[in-house]
Amino acid sequence: MTNYYEREFETLPREFLEKLQLERLQTLLEYVYEKCDFYHKKLDESSIKPADIKSLSDLKKLPFTTKQDLRDNYPYGMFSASMNDIVRVHASSGTTGKLTVAGYTQNDIDIWSAVMARSFTAGGCSHSSIINVAYGYGLFTGGLGAHYGSELLGALTIPASSGNTKRQLQMFKDFKVSTLCCTPSYALYLADEMEKEGYKISDFSLKQGFFGAEPWSEEMRTQIQERLGIKAYNIYGLSEIIGPGVSIECEHQCGAHIWEDHFLPEIIDPETLEPLKNGEQGELVFTTISKTGMPLIRYRTRDLCSLIEEPCECGRTHIRMTRIIGRSDDMLIIGGVNVFPSQIESALFSVKEIEPHYMIIVDRVNNLDKIEIQVEIKDELFSDEVKNLQNLKNLLEKNVSSAISISAKIHFVSRGTIERSQGKAVRVIDKRRI
Ligand code: ADP
Ligand code: ZN
């Protein structure tokens, strides 16, 4: 096999896919009820027995699991498998608080490798790809997740990890790297450094990249694709569910297919917790239906998006999700208005003079919330006429204000001023909390 296309699962007609999901869900519920005290208690408290779940629509009867549950049962209390069968732990990078731990059996590592290998294949990789894994290796799932998937695919795997950018670029050239895995912000940083070091796209053999672990926009995709000369695919995942490879875009780049034979998605209203219809935007919730180490029922990801049920041209029948517009917990409330950093990003990047690096600074002055956005612009613009710079600033302020419905101040800074991240980018400084 030259790639890892599991046709029999990936193109399974919906009717059969849903049958498989129900069987797996029922088996899983029996399993966690028996093996995991936390779920035994939780189901008892909701007066639900595994046998009460007779169809997929019964899913909504089940209680939710939250990040707080994982924290309360730190470190091993959410595991269903016995400790002897757990072969690996990861922990989330803690973007929003204390560590949350995930445990994997060998079965889970195999599933994870398979969904990652499928994901690489969906983005055009094969056993002849040379995959540079520039996600961090360690407790963070990015590095090892991509690594195992790449090896299962049979690709040449380079465990570069993040950082040491000059060496990465050297390897791109000398090792003839075809495929890049890293955060989208690091991809842009690599593009900057590439230009600085005097490399041209033609020095490399790059074909595609798999970018995720943080929200990014279509405008950022365009920049990455143009500056690195590749196709850029959005890959999504979270350590609690498995890690990267929960969903991936196919070559049509029109939403990420969720590997639904393993992860059952729902969208709920984060306020009322009621299920929403496909196409409606809300919080993404997952039930893992094949994992044995730490299966989760109706896990609230806090990530906001919607599901696309229309069939995809690639032939895969698995539902797609839109980009994550933010997490319900990274939403900023500025002067009472809900603002997501991703809305600001899209508004900024619609203007071509803008470098893809920005920082949103929120402050409260005289009891009024103020928002300032530092944006990098090309150095030559600073020597431009003041009038032009002022016009550009006005245009950006207008775009941003109409995107977020409140006014924002734009402040231009020179290239390289905003600190670059080699992992997840920090885009917001909220001084109101300090
Ligand atoms: P955490 O960031 O919570 O410490 P993880 O390292 O497991 O933990 O990161 C998972 C989170 O990263 C997801 O819940 C989501 O918010 C974000 N994420 C991952 N992939 C993407 C993506 N492609 N687009 C947007 N956000 C993403
Ligand atoms: Zn597709």
Side-chain angles (χ1 to χ4, degrees), residues 67 92-95 213-215 234-235 237-239 303 327 424:
K67 206 169 187 121
S92 93
S93 49
T95 314
E214 64 188 12
N234 187 17
I235 184 159
L238 63 166
S239 48
D303 292 325
R327 303 208 218 203
K424 291 176 193 263

Side-chain angles (χ1 to χ4, degrees), residues 34-53:
E34 188 192 323
K35 303 272 188 184
C36 181
D37 289 347
F38 169 82
Y39 276 124
H40 191 99
K41 225 171 108 210
K42 196 145 181 150
L43 291 181
D44 279 352
E45 278 166 11
S46 319
S47 308
I48 292 175
K49 289 275 178 287
D52 295 339
I53 304 304

